[in-house]
Amino acid sequence: MDKISNNSKSGIRPIESLNVIDSFLFQEITEDEENAKFIAKLIIKRVTGVELTDITVEVEKSLHGIVTDKKYNLPYRSRYYQSLTDAKYLGNSKKYIDLPEVITIWILEHDPFGGDRIIYNVKNVIEEMPEMLYNDGVKRIFLYTKGKIGGTRELKNLLKYISESNPNNVVDTELEALHGLVDDIKHREGIGERYMTLGEMIEYERAESYENGVEAGRQEGRQEGMEILVKSHFECNIPETKTIQILMDNYDLSKKEATDFIASSRNKN
């Protein structure tokens, strides 16, 4: 196992302390399609009560399910990802009626609505008749990992483990299976080096971005930060899907914009 200790300079946490809700660990687990299916079915079962026997998972997009630092503009972010889903299903040749019923599930470590609830079910209503739903086929579910009100015991146990992925929170056989996946990833050969490289690169990139005026909105600094990020990924052979996701999360790029930027950077090199 690759041992990674805390680095006081960069503030990078040791890989042993990562939880399922942390982007790096979550994506490493769900890169395997069977692992992604298991986690998706487990979340759906404990959130909705529906136990699925068969499921299709688009692994590269699974990271969207875990949100730890997007405290602001959450309704707009959920609207954006919903529009991507609708565009994918509708295509160019289908009718609007062909759009499927969709439930999106967001897992957060902050309380999105301040009600200290484990689960928030969000639907549209007609203002003049709030008792009547405006059914557009979309339902959003927001889960707060530290919530105290509502939800089932099984859901609360799952969220507790997702937020704090240690043996003390393994309280049933399904969580035991999930913990086995987590433990396997943390002990995988080379994972420590990959995590450290990625973690240091992200911290460096963020520092560079700030110093160059990204936080103040200077495009030049933002561009430089993106170039440093992509160049570091090329040198470390980080999968392109990870690079795309980090560009989307840290620079608010669309998937196409991130992909085009990577292609442009590759051509320069």
Side-chain angles (χ1 to χ4, degrees):
M1 175 177 177
D2 299 287
K3 292 288 185 182
I4 302 297
S5 58
N6 274 321
N7 186 315
S8 59
K9 216 170 189 181
S10 66
I12 301 171
R13 293 161 50 201
I15 194 168
E16 294 93 337
S17 72
L18 292 185
N19 304 304
V20 174
I21 202 164
D22 292 309
S23 296
F24 177 84
L25 182 58
F26 183 78
Q27 188 159 349
E28 287 294 325
I29 296 172
T30 56
E31 276 190 344
D32 180 275
E33 186 176 1
E34 291 305 313
N35 291 350
K37 286 183 179 181
F38 171 76
I39 292 178
K41 287 194 289 186
L42 180 59
I43 292 173
I44 292 169
K45 175 184 175 182
R46 299 204 178 190
V47 171
T48 68
V50 177
E51 189 166 358
L52 301 175
T53 57
D54 191 21
I55 189 172
T56 300
V57 177
E58 293 193 26
V59 177
E60 67 173 329
K61 296 182 181 179
S62 60
L63 185 60
H64 294 177
I66 299 288
V67 183
T68 59
D69 59 354
K70 299 181 178 74
K71 296 185 180 180
Y72 307 103
N73 298 320
L74 183 60
Y76 287 96
R77 287 185 178 275
S78 66
R79 173 182 168 185
Y80 169 70
Y81 287 122
Q82 182 59 52
S83 69
L84 294 181
T85 301
D86 287 345
K88 173 193 151 188
Y89 277 107
L90 195 60
N92 297 320
S93 58
K94 294 183 180 179
K95 299 178 181 179
Y96 296 119
I97 196 64
D98 293 323
L99 284 172
E101 297 279 323
V102 174
I103 299 176
T104 61
I105 300 174
W106 298 70
I107 302 177
L108 309 108
E109 287 195 296
H110 67 275
D111 191 343
F113 305 110
D116 198 23
R117 303 191 69 86
I118 292 172
I119 182 169
Y120 296 92
N121 292 278
V122 178
K123 287 187 176 181
N124 293 327
V125 300
I126 300 172
E127 286 188 8
E128 290 75 14
M129 296 181 289
E131 73 283 356
M132 182 179 292
L133 292 177
Y134 176 75
N135 185 17
D136 57 359
V138 176
K139 179 179 180 180
R140 296 176 177 87
I141 298 176
F142 298 92
L143 305 174
Y144 172 37
T145 59
K146 298 178 177 62
K148 301 293 191 299
I149 304 171
T152 64
R153 179 183 298 274
E154 289 75 17
L155 177 57
K156 185 174 183 179
N157 289 340
L158 173 61
L159 295 177
K160 177 72 171 177
Y161 181 79
I162 286 175
S163 181
E164 300 174 32
S165 307
N166 61 68
N168 294 331
N169 293 323
V170 177
V171 295
D172 58 56
T173 56
E174 289 177 325
L175 294 183
E176 185 177 358
L178 178 55
H179 185 66
L181 299 180
V182 169
D183 197 50
D184 178 66
I185 290 295
K186 290 182 178 181
H187 289 80
R188 183 175 295 173
E189 184 178 357
I191 193 68
E193 292 181 2
R194 276 165 44 77
Y195 170 63
M196 178 61 82
T197 299
L198 183 63
E200 288 182 334
M201 178 275 301
I202 291 174
E203 292 298 323
Y204 175 67
E205 178 269 333
R206 284 176 177 169
E208 285 292 306
S209 296
Y210 184 84
E211 291 171 4
N212 286 283
V214 173
E215 299 297 332
R218 284 175 48 194
Q219 184 61 35
E220 180 181 353
R222 182 174 185 271
Q223 180 79 10
E224 183 179 349
M226 290 166 60
E227 290 173 353
I228 292 172
L229 168 67
V230 173
K231 183 178 179 181
S232 299
H233 273 216
F234 285 163
E235 293 174 350
C236 298
N237 294 317
I238 301 296
E240 185 169 306
T241 54
K242 290 184 183 293
T243 311
I244 291 172
Q245 191 62 55
I246 292 173
L247 286 172
M248 291 170 65
D249 288 346
N250 288 277
Y251 293 96
D252 287 326
L253 299 183
S254 68
K255 186 172 183 178
K256 183 178 185 306
E257 289 171 335
T259 303
D260 290 345
F261 185 85
I262 291 171
S264 175
S265 300
R266 183 176 285 111
N267 291 335
K268 290 180 181 178
N269 295 331

